[in-house]
Amino acid sequence: LHRQNRAEYENAVRDLLAVNVDVSTLLPSDDSSEGFDNIAAALGVSPALLERYVAAATKVSRLAVGDPGTSPTTETWRVPGDLSQTAHLEGLPFGTRGGILFQHTFPLDAEYAFKVRARAAGLGVGAGGGPVALDITLDGTRINPGKSATDFRLKVPAGPHTIGVAMPEHNSAGVDDVYGVYADNAGVTTVAITGPTNPTGPGDTPSRRKIFLCHPASGEDETACAKRILTSLATKAFRREVRDSDLETLLGFYQEGKNSGGFEHGIQSAVARILIDPWFIFRFEKEPAGLTPGGVYSVSDLELASRLSFFLWSSIPDEELMRLATQKKLHDPQILAQQTRRMLADSRASALTTNFAGQWLYLRELKSARPESRDFNDNLRQSFRHETELLFDSIMREDRSVVDLLNADYTFVDERLANHYGIPGVYGSRFRRVNLPDDTRRGLLGQGSILLVTSVATRTSPVARGKWVLENVLGTSAPLPPPNVPSLPEDANSSRVVSVREKMEAHRKNPVCAACHKIMDPIGFSLENFDLTGKWRVSEGGVPIDTSSQMVDGTKLSGPASLREALMSRSDVFVSTLTEKLMTYALGRGLKYYDMPAVRAVTHEARTRDDRFSAIVLAIVRSAPFQMKMKPVENTGTPVQTAALR
């Protein structure tokens, strides 16, 4: 029994109903295990969570159908407090600075009240002393050019719309404000939208087009139309053929809703019931009757379709995949490979970047990073994450060797990030692909995202960086620290600056500490040219950086390039580590010793195809752990399991 996590629920609602919802406001965060939040054993259920699912289903169904009884509510978007608003932000109109860009789903064709709030320190006064206009856009079209008011009302059609709010780079006289000086945190702080008021109808929205496959011409046609709508939705939501008992339950909710509010209200009630049905929230895989403990069996085509779609898309199967599964064609190796390639090419495969890579590479931890550095703000935080996501995405979309994650001679930067890295000739907020001028920043180990999340608030952390490389590149668990580990010595009373390396070496004089640190520290020392925000440096407080070290196997290191070379000489280990991580994510469970033959088979097959990303994915999808299942035995890890899965 495998519950959808928050990301999967959000994507499933999007693909089922064409409704984009921020699930973080509807459901609590999920627990993680094995480094991922889609592990079945960690996705428990509580009475409180069930209540949240009911509340979420009610809200989503009202939004999807367009409930005319929707009461006005207020939703507020906030600009991060450390976002610098002195320059143009990507996605907002040229000629503006700072601001916020977001998508909001308007429930009805109606009027909505907008309230824009901003921080002072220059806001409202340009270089010439006049008021500064707000530049507000709806789907890229300016909706109040020249106005300086921050409270206004607007008629908006129902459905999803993109709202942009920014500050123009000119004053009230229309003169370019090139000499204007703004505080970093001056600009837009919040945008609140209240509504709907004076609604005129549900509108023509993507969700209504998705739901209402028919419209009854008379009362006699309503039940037949409802059956058609609910059969279609339930088939997609439950990922199987709809049974008579399913339809009977849904029609009961439809009839109850219809009696109180008409045909569309009945559909809305039934949609809410679909969204809280166990067959939607959970992934069921039926065990064959009469199977003895330790017995191995293939999952059905429909179950395989769900495994594949939740692996690659973090969502439900689409119509083509469901059709092939219903026809029992998905276990055909050629058809399965064709579908896997099709799904990898689909935009929904970006879920592998945001969910798999976001957790494997610790990108989700960036939002909590608060380094004490004048060079750092939310703009740089966002750029760090976007750079790494674009690198991973390029490996996936271009079907490159996964080893390029370690050694890519290119990256993706905007002007802010290029300046941080010292890359010349990059201007503007648009991310673009650039060739790296030297080998210091090649691959993941030269990217600010990795270097930041492996630092602490006030300094670099060779231990954290070494641990990250051990676990995520070399697939080796870092030793657990002993109890009562002393902290690094402080240098507040010292007459000179003491480098992190010197502190670490003093720390390692403790024999209890040295046993573990000799494994991690050499790796971390080789990255000390990067400060806590990933900026290149040659000294720390006037003390030259010493990156020389030696790995436990005797490999000598002298900086990031030498570490990368050492890792590249073990590229097969990295491919195996990535395969284990990706297979754990694909299966939604931790790997056991009896899974290792399958892991080795995947890496062997990928090696024959230059370790391309698609080769690893295809081999995982073809593997026995992905296509098969085993009836649990009382004592796990028996010879029966080993023999069966080989």
Side-chain angles (χ1 to χ4, degrees), residues 55-97:
T58 301
K59 180 174 181 177
V60 171
S61 62
R62 289 166 65 93
L63 198 60
V65 172
D67 187 351
T70 301
S71 301
T73 58
T74 299
E75 293 191 49
T76 303
W77 281 262
R78 304 181 185 279
V79 178
D82 59 346
L83 179 77
S84 174
Q85 300 195 51
T86 61
H88 176 261
L89 297 182
E90 187 175 15
L92 290 167
F94 290 110
T96 64
R97 62 176 181 84

Side-chain angles (χ1 to χ4, degrees), residues 70-77 102 104 106-107 110-116 152-156 191-198:
T70 301
S71 301
T73 58
T74 299
E75 293 191 49
T76 303
W77 281 262
F102 60 92
H104 177 65
F106 294 82
E111 289 184 355
Y112 296 86
F114 292 73
K115 287 188 177 182
V116 182
F152 60 94
R153 302 181 69 84
L154 188 69
K155 288 184 178 181
V156 184
V191 178
I193 301 176
T194 302
T197 56
N198 302 320

Side-chain angles (χ1 to χ4, degrees), residues 441 445-455 465 530 532 534:
R441 288 202 181 271
L445 296 182
Q447 298 202 340
S449 61
I450 308 301
L451 297 164
L452 175 60
V453 298
T454 54
S455 297
R465 289 178 175 178
F530 299 114
L532 74 167

Side-chain angles (χ1 to χ4, degrees), residues 258-275:
K258 176 192 169 185
N259 292 340
S260 62
F263 174 78
E264 292 198 357
H265 190 68
I267 295 297
Q268 178 184 310
S269 297
V271 168
R273 176 61 178 80
I274 288 174
L275 295 178

Side-chain angles (χ1 to χ4, degrees), residues 41 234 277 292 352 395 403 438 478 501 512 520 531 537 560 602 628:
D277 195 288
T292 58
L352 284 172
I395 302 296
V403 179
D438 53 55
R501 176 165 187 149
V512 177
M520 298 177 287
D531 72 5
R537 61 182 182 171
V602 170
M628 305 184 77

Side-chain angles (χ1 to χ4, degrees), residues 109-161:
D109 288 351
E111 289 184 355
Y112 296 86
F114 292 73
K115 287 188 177 182
V116 182
R117 293 295 176 261
R119 191 177 288 110
L123 184 64
V125 179
V132 175
L134 287 171
D135 195 315
I136 303 175
T137 57
L138 176 70
D139 297 328
T141 302
R142 285 184 172 86
I143 58 177
N144 67 329
K147 293 183 179 179
S148 59
T150 56
D151 293 6
F152 60 94
R153 302 181 69 84
L154 188 69
K155 288 184 178 181
V156 184
H161 296 281

